[in-house]
Amino acid sequence: MTTEDDVRRICLSLPEVIEKPYERLPGYRVKTRLFARIRENPYALVVSRASIGEKEALIASEPEKFFQTPHYEAHPAMLVRLEAIDFEELEELLTEAWALSAPVKLLASFEASRPLGNRRARRSSALPGI
């Protein structure tokens, strides 16, 4: 089980992330791009994904952890039940979401500084805000 404090700690440990409220709740941005945020109704973490197909596969494989509301059906973002996910998986999800939104040079620098076994972040050309 994870908490909003875990989300904050992970997000703010990533390069050039700022916390800036989104609809009066915590939102996390790299430069100006929102990659994760807390939402109220239903209470969940919203994270960017590389594609709608990837999101749908995660939701289908682990619906107790991942879901969407009708609003997110056409967006590459999914909702995460914090009470159902462990810290390591949350860290991986947030790092991937950050990598999708980070500028190319920042991502390259981050990847170069990581041990080879930890270089899993992927990049998409453009994602709408979540």
Side-chain angles (χ1 to χ4, degrees), residues 11 43 52-54 65 69 92 128 130:
C11 288
Y43 177 76
I52 293 172
E54 178 191 9
K65 293 180 185 177
T69 60
E92 183 178 336
I130 55 174

Side-chain angles (χ1 to χ4, degrees), residues 1 27 30 45 82 91 98 111-112 114 128:
M1 179 176 156
V30 55
L45 171 68
L82 291 175
E91 185 173 41
W98 172 88
E111 284 296 300
R114 297 177 79 187

Side-chain angles (χ1 to χ4, degrees), residues 21 24 32 36 38 83 89 96 98 100-101 104-105 107 129:
R24 300 178 317 275
T32 60
I38 300 294
E83 68 276 5
E89 191 171 14
E96 288 177 0
W98 172 88
L100 291 168
S101 296
V104 173
K105 287 182 181 180
L107 178 59

